[in-house]
Amino acid sequence: MIAAPRGVLRLDAADLVATAGAGSTLAELDDALAAAGVWVALDPAGPRTRTLGAVLGRGAGGPLAAFYGPPRDQVVGLTFVAGGGTSVHTGGRVVKNVAGFDLAKLIIGGHGAFGFVTEAHLRLRARPEADRTRAWAGTLEALGAATERLMTRGAMLASCEVVSPTLAAAIGGEARWMLLARALGTAAGADEELDAARVVIGPACDEVAIGPAVWPAWRDVVGAWPTLARVGADPADWAGAARLAAALGATAISATVPRGVVRARFEARAAEPVRALRARAARRGWPTTLERADAATLEAVGIWGAMNEGVLRLAMRLRDALGPEGTQGIPLWTDGKWGSGGVGERAARARHNPTN
C-alpha cells in the first residue's frame, strides 16, 4: 500500500510554484493556494474531493485546458514510485530544470501503469481579479462556425466548451447545443474579451443567461457519467467528432474546442459503441481514451487503442521496467487482445499485431 503525503509541502508564491503531496484533495489544494493568492489550473470532471495523485494518474483535464493546457502542463516535476518500490524524481521545481526524456509526461495519464505519483511540483497562476462566463445557444452547425471564427481570431478565452442539449440542461442551461465561454483576468479585460467574442459569434447564435455555477455543475455531472470516452480530435473538426460520437449512441457530449477534446457519455457496459467509436476515430488519426467505465467495458476495450508496433514495444518495456507491483492488472490496450496484463497477456503480446 503506497501512502502519499498530503498538503502543500512547499509554496513559493512569488515564483508561482508549489510542491504538493499526491494524497491531497483538490479542495485542500484550492484552500491552501487561495490563502496565498494563487491557484492551479486543474478542473477535471468529478468532485474536488479527488486526490491530486488520482487526477494526475488519469491525466484528464477539464474546460480550463482550453487555455492552460491539460494536467501535464500544470506539472514541472514530480516524484513517483516505480517497480520494486523505487522512488524516482523527474523534472524539477522550475521549467529550466527539465532536460532529456521527461518521465513526468509518461506518468501523468498513465493510469498507474508506469508508477504512482507521491509528490508533484505544480505550476501556479496568480488569482484573477475577475471570473466571467457567458453562453450562446444554437445548432451544432452554427456553433461549429462560430468557434471556427473565434479560433481564427485568436480568442484568449480561459474556457471555450461546447455541450450537447442534454448536458446543457443538466448544468443549468437551455436544452440546446451551447457554447460556454469563460474569461479570467482584470474585470475590464475579461469583459472586453467576452464582448469581442459576442461580436465574432454573431447573430446566428442566441446569447443566454448563465452563471458561474455552471462550471462546478459541469464537473459534477460529467464526473458521474457511467462511461466516458475521450476523443483527441483535430481542433478544427471537433464538431465532426461530436457528430460521430452522437451517431454511435453517445447520450451527452462536451467538447473543449481549442484542444479538440470531445468527451462522449455512454451507458454502462458500452464495449461495442466504444469499440466502434475508437475504430472510426482512428481512421481519422484521432486517439480515443476510455477515461471511465465499468469493469466489464474496461476489460473488453482497454484504456487506450492499439498502438503501432514501435510505440507498443517501447510502452511495454517502460511498463515492465517502471510499473509497480500490481499495475499488471490494469487493462490498458484494446479489444480484449491484451487482457489485464498477466501471464496470458505476456504470451499474447508476442503474436499481437495492432491494426487500428
Side-chain angles (χ1 to χ4, degrees), residues 146-336:
T147 55
E148 182 178 2
R149 292 192 297 272
L150 282 172
M151 296 306 102
T152 300
R153 167 190 170 269
M156 301 292 285
L157 296 167
S159 297
C160 182
E161 195 80 10
V162 174
V163 297
S164 62
T166 52
L167 177 54
I171 60 178
E174 298 185 3
R176 294 194 283 168
W177 283 94
M178 287 184 59
L179 166 62
L180 306 173
R182 185 179 187 182
L184 304 175
T186 64
D191 288 339
E192 181 180 357
E193 189 64 38
L194 291 172
D195 287 343
R198 178 194 291 123
V199 173
V200 173
I201 291 169
C205 302
D206 303 321
E207 187 166 3
V208 296
I210 203 76
V214 69
W215 301 113
W218 181 94
R219 294 197 299 267
D220 290 343
V221 173
V222 177
W225 286 357
T227 301
L228 195 168
R230 186 177 76 240
V231 180
D234 180 345
D237 198 17
W238 69 266
R243 290 188 193 94
L244 174 61
L248 293 172
T251 56
I253 291 167
S254 186
T256 303
V257 173
R259 297 282 165 179
V261 172
V262 175
R263 302 171 189 84
R265 180 193 188 279
F266 294 96
E267 299 302 326
R269 305 189 72 85
E272 289 310 312
V274 171
R275 184 179 286 118
L277 175 62
R278 178 172 281 161
R280 291 180 61 177
R283 295 187 195 123
R284 306 189 65 169
W286 299 340
T288 302
T289 301
L290 188 56
E291 189 174 315
R292 183 183 311 109
D294 57 275
T297 300
L298 187 60
E299 181 67 23
V301 300
I303 295 171
W304 303 299
M307 305 174 185
N308 69 52
E309 196 63 42
V311 173
L312 188 58
R313 285 196 300 269
L314 175 60
M316 290 311 301
R317 287 175 181 173
L318 286 168
R319 182 178 170 189
D320 287 344
L322 297 175
E325 186 176 351
T327 61
Q328 286 74 24
I330 300 172
L332 299 180
W333 284 278
T334 188
D335 294 339

Side-chain angles (χ1 to χ4, degrees), residues 316 319 328 330 333 338-350:
M316 290 311 301
R319 182 178 170 189
Q328 286 74 24
I330 300 172
W333 284 278
W338 286 61
S340 60
V343 174
E345 176 184 304
R346 293 176 187 278
R349 76 180 180 220

Side-chain angles (χ1 to χ4, degrees), residues 131-146:
D131 183 346
R132 306 276 198 261
T133 296
R134 296 184 194 171
W136 289 264
T139 64
L140 179 58
E141 291 72 21
L143 290 177

Side-chain angles (χ1 to χ4, degrees), residues 13-235:
D15 294 330
L16 295 178
V17 177
T19 300
S24 308
T25 68
L26 295 183
E28 290 170 341
L29 290 180
D30 290 341
D31 292 343
L33 296 176
V38 292
W39 66 292
V40 60
L42 289 172
D43 66 335
R48 301 302 278 179
T49 52
R50 294 174 64 190
T51 66
L52 176 63
V55 169
L56 296 182
R58 287 184 177 272
L64 285 172
F67 183 79
Y68 297 102
R72 284 186 176 93
D73 292 348
Q74 316 314 318
V75 176
V76 296
L78 52 75
T79 300
F80 67 95
V81 175
T86 304
S87 184
V88 180
H89 305 278
T90 181
R93 288 186 52 80
V94 292
V95 174
K96 66 182 180 181
N97 284 348
V98 179
F101 187 79
D102 188 359
L103 282 175
K105 297 295 190 291
L106 177 72
I107 303 303
I108 299 171
H111 290 254
F114 306 102
F116 296 111
V117 178
T118 56
E119 294 181 9
H121 304 311
L122 302 173
R123 186 194 309 268
L124 306 179
R125 271 85 181 176
R127 293 187 69 81
E129 172 190 317
D131 183 346
R132 306 276 198 261
T133 296
R134 296 184 194 171
W136 289 264
T139 64
L140 179 58
E141 291 72 21
L143 290 177
T147 55
E148 182 178 2
R149 292 192 297 272
L150 282 172
M151 296 306 102
T152 300
R153 167 190 170 269
M156 301 292 285
L157 296 167
S159 297
C160 182
E161 195 80 10
V162 174
V163 297
S164 62
T166 52
L167 177 54
I171 60 178
E174 298 185 3
R176 294 194 283 168
W177 283 94
M178 287 184 59
L179 166 62
L180 306 173
R182 185 179 187 182
L184 304 175
T186 64
D191 288 339
E192 181 180 357
E193 189 64 38
L194 291 172
D195 287 343
R198 178 194 291 123
V199 173
V200 173
I201 291 169
C205 302
D206 303 321
E207 187 166 3
V208 296
I210 203 76
V214 69
W215 301 113
W218 181 94
R219 294 197 299 267
D220 290 343
V221 173
V222 177
W225 286 357
T227 301
L228 195 168
R230 186 177 76 240
V231 180
D234 180 345

